[in-house]
Amino acid sequence: MAQSILDAMSGASTGSLVVTEPLNYWGGKRVKPRQEKNAEPVFEPATGRVLCQLVPCGAEEVDEAMQSAHTAYLTWRKMAGMERARVMLEAARIIRERREKIAKIEVINNGKSITEALVDIDVAWQSMEYYAGLAGTLSGQHIQLPGGAFSYTRREPLGVCAGIGAFNYPFQIAVTKSAPALACGNAMVFKPSPMTPVTAVILAEIYKEAGVPDGLFCVVQGGAETGTLLCGHPTVAKVSFTGSVPTGKKIMEMSAKGVKQVTLELGGKSPLIIFKDCELENAVKGALMANFLTQGQVCCNGTRVFVQKEIMPQFLEEVVKRTKAIPVGDPLLDGTRMGALISKPQLDKVLKYVSQAKAEGGRVLCGGDPFVPSDPKLKAGYFMSPCVLDNCRDDMTCVKEEIFGPVMSVMPFDTEEEVIKRANNTTYGLASGVFTRDISRAHRVAENLEAGTCFINNYNTSPVEMPFGGYKNSGFGRENGQVTIEYYSQLKTVVVEMGNVESLF
Ligand SMILES: NC(=O)C1=CN([C@@H]2O[C@H](COP(=O)(O)OP(=O)(O)OC[C@H]3O[C@@H](n4cnc5c(N)ncnc54)[C@H](O)[C@@H]3O)[C@@H](O)[C@H]2O)C=CC1
Ligand SMILES: C[N+](C)(C)CCCC(=O)O
């Protein structure tokens, strides 16, 4: 059943898919929404056509999903880590087997190129394999106490966790949150972004096929209101959120009321520092990777590109040449490297940042305009040409605010000391990057940058083994890597007396 829905949907091409199957999932099956009168259209970014209807879940539906997740949790938490691992490895195998189909649907819903979506799905099954591998390793400590007494610690699950996702990596975010959660013995109720509701439910079906108890991974659809219901629900032990800083602050406030743990993966305005002793071609490639993946809608993008003055002309010439050569268009074509932005309002917002940059003294070296592909079916898609802005200053809006579009701002610098100060002059702290051939400088810069990640001589690589998360307003908690186990589990101390109780009373 689940596979036949996927097979049918993935037969589509750009401009032809209409999704009518229910997008909620709990109790081991897709669940029809109750409040059809609240339906809102979801658009295919490449064509501007309606892809499906989004019907937000209300309190009753969220409650049903929670109960279903809690029931599954009671079974799942009792299973040995190795048993959970076996189920998760099967889920990883199924994702891998269906990678092309899932990627295709992700592209139709999100607008990114198929080349990128395939990488996203590969990262998803790798994440599942990685946390399956860790599921059997959860363990505690044995502590010897006087008189033969001792204590030991147990790493236990938290319970039902809520996951709230952004639109830019819909399937991958659902896996990045649920894989470590499930490995630790938790259940998860996940709410995707209302703009990208289609692929999370495919993950739910894959988990079911792999053998998780019904309800272990539930999907509820909706926007801010449904998200609020999740954060306030008494069953929820932890909220893991990916999205913007303003929403992250609200999530934290709401979670505080129930003393729920939170992980916040928020936005950024990351610096990429290119020294004159770098290998220029790699630095240029790195700058493109730091700015143009997923049409620039990536939280950890290095959008403030600081280039040492002496190499500025060569850098600009090369970066502009390569940016102009990026093939923009139908995201399902193999040759396309940049697809459509997520929505019309997002496209308008990004274009406005470009005009404002011009008004504030920036110079557009290329792109920054709406792009209309020649294919008639793409005429109403949300495309723009990737943009390089020169002549930027630290006080310009395009340098201070997260644009979330394909816009690179370039600024000159003189010295290491100066550039570190300028790079850190932001409330964000998600990522950073440095290109240099001087290894002492590379590590010194990495140490001094206030960010959760520093890439040396590359940018935006994302192996699942390494922790990812923010400093400052970019959030806290980590995703990926071993450390995430700590964010999805809690420690119990068991104290064992071997002698008589020495009472003071
Ligand atoms: N650090 C990270 O890992 C990542 C961060 N982001 C950040 O996310 C932003 C873009 O994503 P968007 O989807 O536009 O962000 P957003 O903050 O508008 O929405 C994110 C999610 O929160 C939900 N939501 C909105 N208001 C809510 C509320 N009051 N209570 C509960 N849930 C609520 C939305 O429905 C959506 O599922 C950018 O700022 C970007 O930097 C995006 C991807 C990764
Ligand atoms: C996959 N990667 C590293 C390009 C981006 C991951 C963070 C995000 O979801 O925006």
Side-chain angles (χ1 to χ4, degrees):
M1 164 71 175
Q3 200 179 348
S4 62
I5 294 178
L6 182 61
D7 286 344
M9 288 203 297
S10 59
S13 55
T14 300
S16 71
L17 182 65
V18 176
V19 179
T20 50
E21 286 80 13
L23 299 171
N24 298 315
Y25 195 97
W26 58 80
K29 54 183 190 315
R30 292 192 185 229
V31 183
K32 267 191 154 163
R34 306 244 167 95
Q35 307 172 56
E36 307 254 12
K37 63 176 193 320
N38 297 335
E40 301 253 355
V42 175
F43 301 99
E44 177 183 28
T47 62
R49 202 182 48 96
V50 175
L51 172 64
C52 62
Q53 298 294 325
L54 193 278
V55 187
C57 284
E60 227 178 71
E61 291 159 294
V62 166
D63 205 47
E64 268 178 38
M66 287 297 165
Q67 279 183 34
S68 163
H70 192 257
T71 305
Y73 162 66
L74 297 178
T75 307
W76 184 250
R77 67 165 297 168
K78 294 287 181 202
M79 286 166 60
M82 286 297 278
E83 286 179 89
R84 295 199 293 265
R86 217 169 297 130
V87 176
M88 291 178 66
L89 284 174
E90 175 61 5
R93 191 197 60 76
I94 301 173
I95 296 172
R96 188 173 180 178
E97 182 183 272
R98 300 185 194 155
R99 66 191 280 277
E100 276 94 6
K101 291 173 183 167
I102 302 168
K104 200 165 172 191
I105 296 165
E106 189 86 320
V107 168
I108 294 174
N109 194 177
N110 169 279
K112 69 171 74 190
S113 75
I114 185 72
T115 310
E116 275 192 52
L118 284 166
V119 176
D120 295 359
I121 308 306
D122 287 341
V123 171
W125 63 254
Q126 285 159 12
S127 167
M128 192 73 76
E129 282 188 347
Y130 180 78
Y131 286 107
L134 290 182
T137 70
L138 304 187
S139 57
Q141 213 185 356
H142 176 269
I143 301 142
Q144 295 182 9
L145 299 170
F150 63 95
S151 74
Y152 62 92
T153 57
R154 295 168 46 86
R155 193 151 280 285
E156 297 188 345
L158 299 168
V160 177
C161 302
I164 299 180
F167 67 78
N168 56 349
Y169 288 82
F171 189 84
Q172 192 185 100
I173 291 175
V175 173
T176 301
K177 294 192 186 306
S178 61
L182 268 48
C184 294
N186 303 285
M188 177 165 273
V189 177
F190 185 79
K191 190 195 79 59
S193 160
M195 289 182 281
T196 51
V198 183
T199 50
V201 63
I202 294 173
L203 175 63
E205 289 178 322
I206 289 173
Y207 274 131
K208 156 105 180 174
E209 213 175 315
V212 307
D214 286 352
L216 193 71
F217 178 79
C218 302
V219 178
V220 293
Q221 299 290 347
E225 276 181 41
T226 311
T228 304
L229 290 169
L230 288 182
C231 297
H233 200 283
T235 301
V236 170
K238 179 215 170 83
V239 182
S240 175
F241 172 75
T242 296
S244 62
V245 174
T247 310
K249 288 180 181 168
K250 286 185 203 153
I251 301 271
M252 198 172 159
E253 271 174 33
M254 291 189 283
S255 306
K257 295 208 174 84
V259 197
K260 299 181 195 310
Q261 298 194 28
V262 280
T263 289
L264 298 178
E265 294 289 352
L266 309 180
K269 190 75 199 176
S270 301
L272 170 59
I273 305 175
I274 299 176
F275 285 95
K276 65 179 181 212
D277 68 351
C278 69
E279 209 179 285
L280 190 68
E281 189 178 340
N282 276 327
V284 168
K285 286 189 199 160
L288 298 176
M289 286 300 287
N291 279 274
F292 297 139
L293 287 175
T294 309
Q295 298 72 244
Q297 303 160 124
V298 180
C299 53
C300 46
N301 271 359
T303 46
R304 290 184 294 141
V305 180
F306 294 96
V307 179
Q308 206 161 20
K309 226 171 44 197
E310 293 86 340
I311 58 161
M312 185 61 102
Q314 303 95 293
F315 175 82
L316 285 177
E317 189 187 331
E318 211 34 48
V319 97
V320 167
K321 193 169 91 197
R322 285 175 187 256
T323 303
K324 280 182 175 164
I326 295 173
V328 184
D330 187 339
L332 276 181
L333 297 181
D334 288 341
T336 298
R337 286 294 174 273
M338 186 175 287
L341 278 78
I342 191 67
S343 66
K344 183 72 172 56
Q346 182 69 14
L347 173 64
D348 292 342
K349 192 175 127 189
V350 176
L351 294 171
K352 209 171 132 204
Y353 271 113
V354 176
S355 351
Q356 197 172 351
K358 281 195 248 178
E360 292 176 17
R363 187 168 56 206
V364 176
L365 296 185
C366 64
D369 295 312
F371 178 82
V372 185
S374 53
D375 184 342
K377 70 173 186 262
L378 307 176
K379 292 264 182 268
Y382 318 132
F383 298 93
M384 71 173 277
S385 47
C387 177
V388 178
L389 288 172
D390 175 29
N391 240 9
C392 294
R393 298 180 318 272
D394 296 0
D395 64 345
M396 283 166 58
T397 313
C398 65
V399 179
K400 289 196 300 201
E401 295 182 11
E402 184 181 44
I403 299 178
F404 232 52
V407 182
M408 176 193 305
S409 301
V410 185
M411 286 146 299
F413 75 90
D414 283 308
T415 68
E416 182 182 320
E417 198 190 354
E418 165 215 337
V419 78
I420 284 176
K421 214 184 266 169
R422 290 169 63 195
N424 286 336
N425 186 19
T426 168
T427 53
Y428 291 112
L430 191 53
S432 59
V434 54
F435 275 85
T436 176
R437 274 189 273 217
D438 176 340
I439 84 163
S440 313
R441 164 176 279 159
H443 294 289
R444 194 165 57 232
V445 170
E447 183 186 339
N448 287 315
L449 287 172
E450 296 162 359
T453 297
C454 181
F455 296 96
I456 296 176
N457 292 336
N458 205 337
Y459 206 98
N460 266 345
T461 55
S462 48
V464 299
E465 304 93 315
M466 64 185 207
F468 176 81
Y471 276 22
K472 294 155 93 175
N473 279 5
S474 292
F476 54 79
R478 289 293 177 269
E479 291 192 317
N480 296 338
Q482 275 190 35
V483 70
T484 300
I485 294 297
E486 289 173 29
Y487 294 100
Y488 279 106
S489 61
Q490 54 195 339
L491 210 59
K492 178 179 283 171
T493 303
V494 180
V495 193
V496 184
E497 180 57 70
M498 298 297 280
N500 293 322
V501 174
E502 274 183 31
S503 176
L504 296 180
F505 309 101

